Amino acid sequence: MAQQDESTTSWGRRVFNLFLFTSFFLAICAVAMVWQTCYLFHLPINSSLLGFTFFGTLCSYNFHWYFTPAAFGGSNKTAWSGRNKPVHATLFLIALVGALYCTWLLRAHWGWLLLTAFVTFLYSAPKVPHNWALHLQKIAVGKTIFLAFAWAHVTALLPLLVYNADQSDKAVFFVVNRFFLIYAICILFDYRDRESDRKEGIRSLLTWLEHEGILILFWTIMVAFGLSGILLYGQGMPLVSVVALSIPGLIVAGLQPYSMRHSGDYHYYFVLDGLMAFSVPLVALLDYGP
């Protein structure tokens, strides 16, 4: 009986790893974040935008992990990706087709979609083993900002642009608030990956900042996140919505010491990544506004 339980646990872990390490979980989080923007700003749900978000996330992250050398990582996730390159390649190609199809459906907004693709590519381009990518490794100082901007753009700004919706200060502070939350999470990821980035020759802000400088950067971003939430409330966002949006940031702040001492894959790829979208169920449960 114990052997059967152990076998079931092992099978369940393999399925969970497949779901998590192929970025399906992350793609679902991204879709949920787009839904949240539409909900808070009373926009209709655009299935093409949701499809672009889902397939684009799968496409970009499987591309990223396909080119990540297993030798430089040391984590279970990196080792898993090294053993499953064909899985990443297959998902990248399938998701690319899906993303291109959704881009065609959203072609009226091609400029914004192209900007998103370009900024997202800048994050992963230093991983590509070609001579032109070597130059990008030297100028990838802003790769964390590129990634945070891409996420905030797709999940917070793009739904507003697609519908030519609210252009008020409330919309601006909402996008800024989402950017600071995502950037704070990205800082923790980059802190963990500093050594592997150095081995790969990738230069980023966090590879040359000392520990104390990284802490200052992190807490500066968290203060900016809090201030943007206050300003968001001041611009008319319901208090319950601001509270729901703020809770994940408080959790990220509380997890900062633990995150900088531990590098577990589930903590980073499930807990921290999941915190980007944790406000979605909170908003749905707490926001009873019109």
Side-chain angles (χ1 to χ4, degrees):
M1 185 67 178
Q3 185 177 3
Q4 183 179 1
D5 291 342
E6 183 178 346
S7 176
T8 301
T9 301
S10 177
W11 179 85
R13 184 180 294 111
R14 287 197 297 269
V15 172
F16 183 71
N17 286 347
L18 180 67
F19 174 67
L20 193 65
F21 294 164
T22 54
S23 300
F24 274 98
F25 173 69
L26 203 54
I28 292 172
C29 287
V31 169
M33 293 161 72
V34 172
W35 177 90
Q36 173 179 257
T37 301
C38 294
Y39 177 80
L40 290 174
F41 288 89
H42 312 293
L43 305 174
I45 302 299
N46 187 316
S47 58
S48 298
L49 181 59
L50 295 182
F52 173 81
T53 303
F54 180 81
F55 288 118
T57 304
L58 273 185
C59 179
S60 62
Y61 276 90
N62 279 282
F63 175 87
H64 179 89
W65 283 105
Y66 179 82
F67 286 110
T68 297
F72 293 140
S75 69
N76 290 333
K77 167 70 173 75
T78 308
W80 189 96
S81 294
R83 295 192 305 268
N84 292 276
K85 296 287 187 183
V87 175
H88 285 306
T90 301
L91 287 175
F92 163 72
L93 292 174
I94 293 173
L96 178 61
V97 173
L100 290 174
Y101 175 70
C102 293
T103 299
W104 172 254
L105 297 177
L106 295 167
R107 58 190 178 278
H109 311 283
W110 68 269
W112 291 112
L113 301 181
L114 184 62
L115 175 62
T116 304
F118 176 70
V119 173
T120 304
F121 178 73
L122 285 179
Y123 175 75
S124 298
K127 300 278 187 179
V128 180
H130 290 286
N131 291 333
W132 58 268
L134 296 178
H135 299 290
L136 291 176
Q137 292 178 359
K138 300 176 182 178
I139 62 172
V141 176
K143 76 182 185 78
T144 311
I145 297 177
F146 295 154
L147 184 61
F149 174 80
W151 269 89
H153 173 70
V154 171
T155 62
L157 179 60
L158 196 57
L160 299 172
L161 295 172
V162 166
Y163 287 105
N164 194 27
D166 195 341
Q167 303 295 322
S168 66
D169 290 341
K170 181 173 73 171
V172 173
F173 288 132
F174 173 74
V175 175
V176 169
N177 180 265
R178 297 297 86 195
F179 171 81
F180 284 134
L181 173 66
I182 296 165
Y183 189 34
I185 294 172
C186 289
I187 288 173
L188 297 177
F189 269 86
D190 270 16
Y191 181 85
R192 185 200 62 167
D193 295 338
R194 284 187 305 163
E195 291 305 316
S196 61
D197 281 348
R198 286 168 178 162
K199 290 176 182 178
E200 289 184 66
I202 297 174
R203 299 179 183 178
S204 70
L205 182 62
L206 269 69
T207 60
W208 63 268
L209 277 178
E210 299 296 333
H211 177 75
E212 292 74 14
I214 295 172
L215 285 177
I216 292 172
L217 175 63
F218 176 83
W219 287 108
T220 299
I221 295 301
M222 291 309 306
V223 169
F225 168 76
L227 290 175
S228 65
I230 295 172
L231 293 171
L232 187 58
Y233 173 68
Q235 291 299 320
M237 181 72 73
L239 179 59
V240 288
S241 298
V242 174
V243 170
L245 293 171
S246 300
I247 288 174
L250 295 175
I251 298 174
V252 170
L255 287 175
Q256 174 267 316
Y258 179 89
S259 300
M260 287 188 169
R261 292 195 306 267
H262 299 81
S263 59
D265 291 323
Y266 293 157
H267 174 69
Y268 275 86
Y269 297 108
F270 185 70
V271 176
L272 290 182
D273 273 343
L275 281 171
M276 292 193 298
F278 185 56
S279 60
V280 177
L282 295 178
V283 164
L285 289 172
L286 298 178
D287 185 12
Y288 300 102

PDB file of all heavy atoms in Angstrom, residues 131-157:
ATOM      1  N   ASN A 131      26.390  34.656 -32.429  1.00  0.00           N
ATOM      2  CA  ASN A 131      27.294  35.782 -32.226  1.00  0.00           C
ATOM      3  C   ASN A 131      26.551  37.085 -31.948  1.00  0.00           C
ATOM      4  O   ASN A 131      26.972  37.882 -31.103  1.00  0.00           O
ATOM      5  CB  ASN A 131      28.200  35.950 -33.450  1.00  0.00           C
ATOM      6  CG  ASN A 131      29.200  34.817 -33.582  1.00  0.00           C
ATOM      7  OD1 ASN A 131      29.576  34.201 -32.583  1.00  0.00           O
ATOM      8  ND2 ASN A 131      29.625  34.525 -34.801  1.00  0.00           N
ATOM      9  N   TRP A 132      25.447  37.312 -32.679  1.00  0.00           N
ATOM     10  CA  TRP A 132      24.737  38.572 -32.469  1.00  0.00           C
ATOM     11  C   TRP A 132      24.168  38.664 -31.068  1.00  0.00           C
ATOM     12  O   TRP A 132      24.009  39.755 -30.511  1.00  0.00           O
ATOM     13  CB  TRP A 132      23.627  38.745 -33.497  1.00  0.00           C
ATOM     14  CG  TRP A 132      22.596  37.657 -33.509  1.00  0.00           C
ATOM     15  CD1 TRP A 132      22.589  36.534 -34.268  1.00  0.00           C
ATOM     16  CD2 TRP A 132      21.421  37.582 -32.687  1.00  0.00           C
ATOM     17  NE1 TRP A 132      21.493  35.758 -33.992  1.00  0.00           N
ATOM     18  CE2 TRP A 132      20.748  36.383 -33.029  1.00  0.00           C
ATOM     19  CE3 TRP A 132      20.871  38.411 -31.720  1.00  0.00           C
ATOM     20  CZ2 TRP A 132      19.560  35.993 -32.417  1.00  0.00           C
ATOM     21  CZ3 TRP A 132      19.679  38.020 -31.106  1.00  0.00           C
ATOM     22  CH2 TRP A 132      19.046  36.825 -31.463  1.00  0.00           C
ATOM     23  N   ALA A 133      23.865  37.509 -30.461  1.00  0.00           N
ATOM     24  CA  ALA A 133      23.307  37.510 -29.110  1.00  0.00           C
ATOM     25  C   ALA A 133      24.366  37.850 -28.065  1.00  0.00           C
ATOM     26  O   ALA A 133      24.044  38.324 -26.980  1.00  0.00           O
ATOM     27  CB  ALA A 133      22.685  36.160 -28.789  1.00  0.00           C
ATOM     28  N   LEU A 134      25.638  37.600 -28.408  1.00  0.00           N
ATOM     29  CA  LEU A 134      26.708  37.925 -27.474  1.00  0.00           C
ATOM     30  C   LEU A 134      26.750  39.415 -27.180  1.00  0.00           C
ATOM     31  O   LEU A 134      27.080  39.838 -26.065  1.00  0.00           O
ATOM     32  CB  LEU A 134      28.057  37.453 -28.042  1.00  0.00           C
ATOM     33  CG  LEU A 134      28.204  35.938 -28.234  1.00  0.00           C
ATOM     34  CD1 LEU A 134      29.558  35.617 -28.855  1.00  0.00           C
ATOM     35  CD2 LEU A 134      28.054  35.214 -26.898  1.00  0.00           C
ATOM     36  N   HIS A 135      26.434  40.226 -28.171  1.00  0.00           N
ATOM     37  CA  HIS A 135      26.398  41.678 -27.954  1.00  0.00           C
ATOM     38  C   HIS A 135      25.258  42.040 -27.011  1.00  0.00           C
ATOM     39  O   HIS A 135      25.392  42.955 -26.191  1.00  0.00           O
ATOM     40  CB  HIS A 135      26.235  42.400 -29.288  1.00  0.00           C
ATOM     41  CG  HIS A 135      27.365  42.149 -30.251  1.00  0.00           C
ATOM     42  ND1 HIS A 135      28.639  42.653 -30.043  1.00  0.00           N
ATOM     43  CD2 HIS A 135      27.421  41.444 -31.406  1.00  0.00           C
ATOM     44  CE1 HIS A 135      29.430  42.275 -31.047  1.00  0.00           C
ATOM     45  NE2 HIS A 135      28.699  41.538 -31.883  1.00  0.00           N
ATOM     46  N   LEU A 136      24.136  41.330 -27.119  1.00  0.00           N
ATOM     47  CA  LEU A 136      23.008  41.614 -26.234  1.00  0.00           C
ATOM     48  C   LEU A 136      23.326  41.241 -24.792  1.00  0.00           C
ATOM     49  O   LEU A 136      22.816  41.861 -23.862  1.00  0.00           O
ATOM     50  CB  LEU A 136      21.765  40.858 -26.710  1.00  0.00           C
ATOM     51  CG  LEU A 136      21.165  41.332 -28.031  1.00  0.00           C
ATOM     52  CD1 LEU A 136      19.991  40.432 -28.429  1.00  0.00           C
ATOM     53  CD2 LEU A 136      20.688  42.775 -27.930  1.00  0.00           C
ATOM     54  N   GLN A 137      24.175  40.229 -24.602  1.00  0.00           N
ATOM     55  CA  GLN A 137      24.552  39.858 -23.245  1.00  0.00           C
ATOM     56  C   GLN A 137      25.257  40.998 -22.533  1.00  0.00           C
ATOM     57  O   GLN A 137      25.154  41.162 -21.315  1.00  0.00           O
ATOM     58  CB  GLN A 137      25.462  38.621 -23.269  1.00  0.00           C
ATOM     59  CG  GLN A 137      24.770  37.356 -23.716  1.00  0.00           C
ATOM     60  CD  GLN A 137      25.715  36.176 -23.760  1.00  0.00           C
ATOM     61  OE1 GLN A 137      26.916  36.313 -23.472  1.00  0.00           O
ATOM     62  NE2 GLN A 137      25.208  35.007 -24.116  1.00  0.00           N
ATOM     63  N   LYS A 138      25.951  41.822 -23.305  1.00  0.00           N
ATOM     64  CA  LYS A 138      26.702  42.924 -22.717  1.00  0.00           C
ATOM     65  C   LYS A 138      25.830  44.124 -22.401  1.00  0.00           C
ATOM     66  O   LYS A 138      26.219  44.988 -21.619  1.00  0.00           O
ATOM     67  CB  LYS A 138      27.828  43.343 -23.673  1.00  0.00           C
ATOM     68  CG  LYS A 138      28.827  42.226 -23.971  1.00  0.00           C
ATOM     69  CD  LYS A 138      29.850  42.666 -25.003  1.00  0.00           C
ATOM     70  CE  LYS A 138      30.813  41.533 -25.336  1.00  0.00           C
ATOM     71  NZ  LYS A 138      31.798  41.931 -26.373  1.00  0.00           N
ATOM     72  N   ILE A 139      24.649  44.189 -23.022  1.00  0.00           N
ATOM     73  CA  ILE A 139      23.792  45.359 -22.816  1.00  0.00           C
ATOM     74  C   ILE A 139      22.461  44.969 -22.180  1.00  0.00           C
ATOM     75  O   ILE A 139      21.505  45.736 -22.215  1.00  0.00           O
ATOM     76  CB  ILE A 139      23.534  46.100 -24.144  1.00  0.00           C
ATOM     77  CG1 ILE A 139      22.799  45.179 -25.130  1.00  0.00           C
ATOM     78  CG2 ILE A 139      24.821  46.615 -24.746  1.00  0.00           C
ATOM     79  CD1 ILE A 139      22.337  45.892 -26.394  1.00  0.00           C
ATOM     80  N   ALA A 140      22.408  43.776 -21.592  1.00  0.00           N
ATOM     81  CA  ALA A 140      21.154  43.266 -21.027  1.00  0.00           C
ATOM     82  C   ALA A 140      20.917  43.752 -19.603  1.00  0.00           C
ATOM     83  O   ALA A 140      20.233  43.106 -18.821  1.00  0.00           O
ATOM     84  CB  ALA A 140      21.148  41.730 -21.058  1.00  0.00           C
ATOM     85  N   VAL A 141      21.489  44.924 -19.274  1.00  0.00           N
ATOM     86  CA  VAL A 141      21.354  45.455 -17.924  1.00  0.00           C
ATOM     87  C   VAL A 141      19.895  45.627 -17.545  1.00  0.00           C
ATOM     88  O   VAL A 141      19.499  45.428 -16.404  1.00  0.00           O
ATOM     89  CB  VAL A 141      22.108  46.805 -17.812  1.00  0.00           C
ATOM     90  CG1 VAL A 141      21.887  47.420 -16.438  1.00  0.00           C
ATOM     91  CG2 VAL A 141      23.595  46.606 -18.075  1.00  0.00           C
ATOM     92  N   GLY A 142      19.066  45.965 -18.526  1.00  0.00           N
ATOM     93  CA  GLY A 142      17.666  46.219 -18.231  1.00  0.00           C
ATOM     94  C   GLY A 142      16.756  45.038 -18.442  1.00  0.00           C
ATOM     95  O   GLY A 142      15.543  45.221 -18.568  1.00  0.00           O
ATOM     96  N   LYS A 143      17.285  43.811 -18.457  1.00  0.00           N
ATOM     97  CA  LYS A 143      16.447  42.661 -18.802  1.00  0.00           C
ATOM     98  C   LYS A 143      15.312  42.450 -17.800  1.00  0.00           C
ATOM     99  O   LYS A 143      14.218  42.030 -18.193  1.00  0.00           O
ATOM    100  CB  LYS A 143      17.295  41.387 -18.932  1.00  0.00           C
ATOM    101  CG  LYS A 143      17.756  40.738 -17.646  1.00  0.00           C
ATOM    102  CD  LYS A 143      18.624  39.525 -17.948  1.00  0.00           C
ATOM    103  CE  LYS A 143      19.002  38.777 -16.672  1.00  0.00           C
ATOM    104  NZ  LYS A 143      17.910  37.942 -16.179  1.00  0.00           N
ATOM    105  N   THR A 144      15.542  42.763 -16.532  1.00  0.00           N
ATOM    106  CA  THR A 144      14.476  42.634 -15.544  1.00  0.00           C
ATOM    107  C   THR A 144      13.372  43.645 -15.803  1.00  0.00           C
ATOM    108  O   THR A 144      12.178  43.330 -15.707  1.00  0.00           O
ATOM    109  CB  THR A 144      15.041  42.827 -14.123  1.00  0.00           C
ATOM    110  OG1 THR A 144      16.200  42.012 -13.970  1.00  0.00           O
ATOM    111  CG2 THR A 144      14.007  42.440 -13.076  1.00  0.00           C
ATOM    112  N   ILE A 145      13.774  44.860 -16.160  1.00  0.00           N
ATOM    113  CA  ILE A 145      12.800  45.898 -16.482  1.00  0.00           C
ATOM    114  C   ILE A 145      12.042  45.528 -17.752  1.00  0.00           C
ATOM    115  O   ILE A 145      10.829  45.735 -17.845  1.00  0.00           O
ATOM    116  CB  ILE A 145      13.494  47.269 -16.642  1.00  0.00           C
ATOM    117  CG1 ILE A 145      14.146  47.677 -15.319  1.00  0.00           C
ATOM    118  CG2 ILE A 145      12.505  48.327 -17.105  1.00  0.00           C
ATOM    119  CD1 ILE A 145      14.914  48.966 -15.396  1.00  0.00           C
ATOM    120  N   PHE A 146      12.753  44.956 -18.748  1.00  0.00           N
ATOM    121  CA  PHE A 146      12.094  44.524 -19.982  1.00  0.00           C
ATOM    122  C   PHE A 146      10.971  43.538 -19.657  1.00  0.00           C
ATOM    123  O   PHE A 146       9.855  43.655 -20.174  1.00  0.00           O
ATOM    124  CB  PHE A 146      13.092  43.842 -20.922  1.00  0.00           C
ATOM    125  CG  PHE A 146      14.179  44.747 -21.437  1.00  0.00           C
ATOM    126  CD1 PHE A 146      15.398  44.223 -21.830  1.00  0.00           C
ATOM    127  CD2 PHE A 146      13.977  46.111 -21.539  1.00  0.00           C
ATOM    128  CE1 PHE A 146      16.401  45.044 -22.305  1.00  0.00           C
ATOM    129  CE2 PHE A 146      14.980  46.938 -22.018  1.00  0.00           C
ATOM    130  CZ  PHE A 146      16.191  46.410 -22.399  1.00  0.00           C
ATOM    131  N   LEU A 147      11.288  42.558 -18.809  1.00  0.00           N
ATOM    132  CA  LEU A 147      10.308  41.525 -18.499  1.00  0.00           C
ATOM    133  C   LEU A 147       9.120  42.097 -17.723  1.00  0.00           C
ATOM    134  O   LEU A 147       7.965  41.794 -18.035  1.00  0.00           O
ATOM    135  CB  LEU A 147      10.968  40.404 -17.696  1.00  0.00           C
ATOM    136  CG  LEU A 147      10.084  39.198 -17.369  1.00  0.00           C
ATOM    137  CD1 LEU A 147       9.615  38.522 -18.649  1.00  0.00           C
ATOM    138  CD2 LEU A 147      10.816  38.212 -16.475  1.00  0.00           C
ATOM    139  N   ALA A 148       9.402  42.922 -16.719  1.00  0.00           N
ATOM    140  CA  ALA A 148       8.318  43.520 -15.935  1.00  0.00           C
ATOM    141  C   ALA A 148       7.449  44.419 -16.808  1.00  0.00           C
ATOM    142  O   ALA A 148       6.217  44.426 -16.679  1.00  0.00           O
ATOM    143  CB  ALA A 148       8.898  44.314 -14.761  1.00  0.00           C
ATOM    144  N   PHE A 149       8.093  45.154 -17.717  1.00  0.00           N
ATOM    145  CA  PHE A 149       7.329  46.018 -18.620  1.00  0.00           C
ATOM    146  C   PHE A 149       6.446  45.188 -19.540  1.00  0.00           C
ATOM    147  O   PHE A 149       5.281  45.539 -19.778  1.00  0.00           O
ATOM    148  CB  PHE A 149       8.273  46.886 -19.446  1.00  0.00           C
ATOM    149  CG  PHE A 149       7.566  47.693 -20.510  1.00  0.00           C
ATOM    150  CD1 PHE A 149       6.915  48.873 -20.193  1.00  0.00           C
ATOM    151  CD2 PHE A 149       7.545  47.249 -21.825  1.00  0.00           C
ATOM    152  CE1 PHE A 149       6.251  49.603 -21.172  1.00  0.00           C
ATOM    153  CE2 PHE A 149       6.890  47.975 -22.811  1.00  0.00           C
ATOM    154  CZ  PHE A 149       6.239  49.158 -22.480  1.00  0.00           C
ATOM    155  N   ALA A 150       6.991  44.102 -20.064  1.00  0.00           N
ATOM    156  CA  ALA A 150       6.207  43.253 -20.970  1.00  0.00           C
ATOM    157  C   ALA A 150       4.981  42.696 -20.255  1.00  0.00           C
ATOM    158  O   ALA A 150       3.876  42.681 -20.807  1.00  0.00           O
ATOM    159  CB  ALA A 150       7.079  42.122 -21.511  1.00  0.00           C
ATOM    160  N   TRP A 151       5.165  42.229 -19.021  1.00  0.00           N
ATOM    161  CA  TRP A 151       4.032  41.673 -18.262  1.00  0.00           C
ATOM    162  C   TRP A 151       2.996  42.749 -17.953  1.00  0.00           C
ATOM    163  O   TRP A 151       1.787  42.519 -18.121  1.00  0.00           O
ATOM    164  CB  TRP A 151       4.542  41.033 -16.968  1.00  0.00           C
ATOM    165  CG  TRP A 151       4.864  39.593 -17.130  1.00  0.00           C
ATOM    166  CD1 TRP A 151       6.058  39.054 -17.520  1.00  0.00           C
ATOM    167  CD2 TRP A 151       3.975  38.488 -16.930  1.00  0.00           C
ATOM    168  NE1 TRP A 151       5.965  37.685 -17.562  1.00  0.00           N
ATOM    169  CE2 TRP A 151       4.709  37.315 -17.205  1.00  0.00           C
ATOM    170  CE3 TRP A 151       2.651  38.384 -16.535  1.00  0.00           C
ATOM    171  CZ2 TRP A 151       4.141  36.042 -17.104  1.00  0.00           C
ATOM    172  CZ3 TRP A 151       2.075  37.122 -16.433  1.00  0.00           C
ATOM    173  CH2 TRP A 151       2.820  35.973 -16.709  1.00  0.00           C
ATOM    174  N   ALA A 152       3.455  43.915 -17.499  1.00  0.00           N
ATOM    175  CA  ALA A 152       2.507  44.990 -17.180  1.00  0.00           C
ATOM    176  C   ALA A 152       1.799  45.477 -18.434  1.00  0.00           C
ATOM    177  O   ALA A 152       0.605  45.798 -18.414  1.00  0.00           O
ATOM    178  CB  ALA A 152       3.249  46.144 -16.497  1.00  0.00           C
ATOM    179  N   HIS A 153       2.527  45.510 -19.541  1.00  0.00           N
ATOM    180  CA  HIS A 153       1.947  45.962 -20.802  1.00  0.00           C
ATOM    181  C   HIS A 153       0.843  45.012 -21.271  1.00  0.00           C
ATOM    182  O   HIS A 153      -0.267  45.455 -21.599  1.00  0.00           O
ATOM    183  CB  HIS A 153       3.038  46.066 -21.865  1.00  0.00           C
ATOM    184  CG  HIS A 153       2.516  46.361 -23.227  1.00  0.00           C
ATOM    185  ND1 HIS A 153       1.978  47.578 -23.570  1.00  0.00           N
ATOM    186  CD2 HIS A 153       2.436  45.593 -24.335  1.00  0.00           C
ATOM    187  CE1 HIS A 153       1.593  47.555 -24.834  1.00  0.00           C
ATOM    188  NE2 HIS A 153       1.860  46.353 -25.326  1.00  0.00           N
ATOM    189  N   VAL A 154       1.138  43.718 -21.278  1.00  0.00           N
ATOM    190  CA  VAL A 154       0.172  42.740 -21.786  1.00  0.00           C
ATOM    191  C   VAL A 154      -1.031  42.614 -20.861  1.00  0.00           C
ATOM    192  O   VAL A 154      -2.175  42.595 -21.315  1.00  0.00           O
ATOM    193  CB  VAL A 154       0.837  41.366 -21.971  1.00  0.00           C
ATOM    194  CG1 VAL A 154      -0.205  40.306 -22.274  1.00  0.00           C
ATOM    195  CG2 VAL A 154       1.855  41.422 -23.096  1.00  0.00           C
ATOM    196  N   THR A 155      -0.793  42.527 -19.552  1.00  0.00           N
ATOM    197  CA  THR A 155      -1.869  42.188 -18.625  1.00  0.00           C
ATOM    198  C   THR A 155      -2.641  43.387 -18.098  1.00  0.00           C
ATOM    199  O   THR A 155      -3.779  43.238 -17.645  1.00  0.00           O
ATOM    200  CB  THR A 155      -1.313  41.396 -17.425  1.00  0.00           C
ATOM    201  OG1 THR A 155      -0.363  42.216 -16.714  1.00  0.00           O
ATOM    202  CG2 THR A 155      -0.626  40.119 -17.892  1.00  0.00           C
ATOM    203  N   ALA A 156      -2.044  44.583 -18.140  1.00  0.00           N
ATOM    204  CA  ALA A 156      -2.717  45.762 -17.585  1.00  0.00           C
ATOM    205  C   ALA A 156      -2.995  46.841 -18.627  1.00  0.00           C
ATOM    206  O   ALA A 156      -4.109  47.381 -18.690  1.00  0.00           O
ATOM    207  CB  ALA A 156      -1.879  46.353 -16.441  1.00  0.00           C
ATOM    208  N   LEU A 157      -2.004  47.159 -19.457  1.00  0.00           N
ATOM    209  CA  LEU A 157      -2.161  48.266 -20.402  1.00  0.00           C
ATOM    210  C   LEU A 157      -2.865  47.858 -21.686  1.00  0.00           C
ATOM    211  O   LEU A 157      -3.754  48.574 -22.180  1.00  0.00           O
ATOM    212  CB  LEU A 157      -0.787  48.864 -20.733  1.00  0.00           C
ATOM    213  CG  LEU A 157      -0.768  50.024 -21.730  1.00  0.00           C
ATOM    214  CD1 LEU A 157      -1.596  51.194 -21.207  1.00  0.00           C
ATOM    215  CD2 LEU A 157       0.672  50.463 -22.002  1.00  0.00           C
TER     216      LEU A 157
END
